[in-house]
Amino acid sequence: MNEVEISRRIKSEVFGKLIRVYDAVDSTNLRAIELIKGGEEEGTLVIAEEQTAGRGRRGKAWFSEKGKNLLFSLIIKPCINRDSLSLTSLTAALSVAKAVQTLYGLPVECKWPNDVMAGSKKFCGILPETVLREGDHPRISLGIGINVNQKIFPAEIAERTVSLSMLTGKELDRYELLAEVLQHLENNFRRLGEGYKREILDEWIRFSFHFGREVSINVDGQVINGIAEDVAEDGSLIIRSRDEKIKIISGDVSYDTRI
Ligand code: BTN
């Protein structure tokens, strides 16, 4: 992967205007956070072929075979307040889902708050990490990992993980996918800044299979069951549990895919 080749393919104006490519790095999120602290502007893309300490949600690791997938962090400064940060994950997941649907016509699903799935298997994980600044919008290292051409996964995640190449039966062009994802990200974050928050959320809901279904949510070890009803304006999930509406700000959702 090289910077010139990536730049040539990018269609977005701001997202990806500066690119830092690494052969191997601990975590692209950590590199992007360092850059943010050093004053880096919105739009810089940090991308790597391999991560030695890839970070997942809730302190988990993110595994990816060298040179097969997309591992990147984009520096963004979305026009949202610090109480609505989960909107960032939903907007990013929607952008990946639209890019994958546009390029490959695959039926993809967004799973709250920040996974993109095909059937019951995950092919994309999103980890936004925020750097707060007094009196200004937060700056975010928006970390995205997409399983593109990897065919074999570690045993502990193999059952619930898939790659786009496994789904399409073809070896895929990672540059083409990156360019498409960046364009959808730029477009959707611009719309968010222009006030089209509800439209973004409704679009995300159309990519999601939770709604009207029984879900179990693990919130720091406590399991809450209920029917998923809506997503609030700040990106939190609204479920109905025993005639009570509960707003979930963070947690891991599971649901029965056979329903
Ligand atoms: C998840 O747990 O689902 C989130 C995974 C996020 C992985 C990506 S890969 C690029 C970026 N750098 C990291 O260290 N993590 C994110």
Side-chain angles (χ1 to χ4, degrees):
M1 220 172 230
N2 73 71
E3 201 184 310
V4 177
E5 188 65 23
I6 297 174
S7 297
R8 217 168 49 79
R9 308 291 285 274
I10 282 179
K11 302 174 274 185
S12 39
E13 280 168 27
V14 178
F15 288 6
K17 70 175 176 200
L18 249 166
I19 304 166
R20 293 170 190 261
V21 184
Y22 292 89
D23 191 39
V25 74
D26 45 3
S27 152
T28 57
N29 262 22
L30 287 177
R31 295 280 74 76
I33 289 168
E34 260 181 25
L35 289 170
I36 292 173
K37 290 183 175 162
E40 190 87 357
E41 290 298 315
E42 179 172 59
T44 296
L45 177 78
V46 179
I47 185 160
E49 289 287 21
E50 183 183 29
Q51 295 185 123
T52 51
R55 286 147 77 101
R57 287 179 68 218
R58 301 174 176 275
K60 291 187 198 149
W62 181 259
F63 298 103
S64 178
E65 191 182 329
K66 182 167 186 164
K68 296 281 182 188
N69 300 319
L70 284 175
L71 300 166
F72 64 91
S73 301
L74 182 70
I75 296 179
I76 58 168
K77 190 185 162 191
C79 297
I80 51 175
N81 61 43
R82 54 185 70 180
D83 305 325
S84 309
L85 286 171
S86 47
L87 264 182
T88 306
S89 299
L90 302 188
T91 307
L94 171 67
S95 306
V96 172
K98 284 174 91 171
V100 168
Q101 198 183 58
T102 306
L103 287 181
Y104 316 122
L106 289 170
V108 287
E109 179 186 346
C110 293
K111 184 174 163 211
W112 190 87
N114 54 2
D115 293 340
V116 196
M117 325 270 293
S120 55
K121 297 189 173 197
K122 172 167 165 174
F123 66 84
C124 168
I126 295 166
L127 182 69
E129 296 195 72
T130 306
V131 181
L132 295 174
R133 198 176 285 193
E134 210 46 59
D136 198 359
H137 288 293
R139 281 174 171 69
I140 297 176
S141 162
L142 179 61
I144 302 185
I146 306 177
N147 298 331
V148 186
N149 287 321
Q150 186 166 343
K151 304 278 180 345
I152 298 163
F153 291 92
E156 62 271 28
I157 57 164
E159 239 178 58
R160 51 195 159 84
T161 307
V162 74
S163 70
L164 294 170
S165 150
M166 288 158 79
L167 292 164
T168 55
K170 292 182 198 143
E171 195 74 3
L172 301 173
D173 179 345
R174 290 185 295 160
Y175 296 116
E176 181 185 41
L177 177 60
L178 175 66
E180 192 73 25
V181 170
L182 287 176
Q183 192 167 35
H184 283 281
L185 284 168
E186 183 166 285
N187 190 22
N188 287 328
F189 277 103
R190 184 186 296 136
R191 286 167 67 210
L192 200 62
E194 288 167 356
Y196 294 99
K197 196 193 279 185
R198 195 63 245 178
E199 285 77 0
I200 297 271
L201 292 172
D202 288 342
E203 226 180 314
W204 180 89
I205 287 173
R206 286 200 287 281
F207 271 99
S208 161
F209 294 172
H210 312 97
F211 295 95
R213 289 169 120 189
E214 179 83 33
V215 293
S216 291
I217 301 163
N218 187 325
V219 183
D220 296 328
Q222 190 203 343
V223 177
I224 304 170
N225 294 305
I227 305 287
E229 277 200 344
D230 201 2
V231 175
E233 291 268 302
D234 62 0
S236 51
L237 183 68
I238 310 284
I239 68 161
R240 181 167 290 278
S241 181
R242 289 193 226 97
D243 275 337
E244 198 189 340
K245 268 193 183 189
I246 304 178
K247 192 171 164 176
I248 313 279
I249 295 166
S250 78
D252 284 322
V253 175
S254 54
Y255 51 92
D256 193 335
T257 48
R258 291 166 302 178
I259 297 172

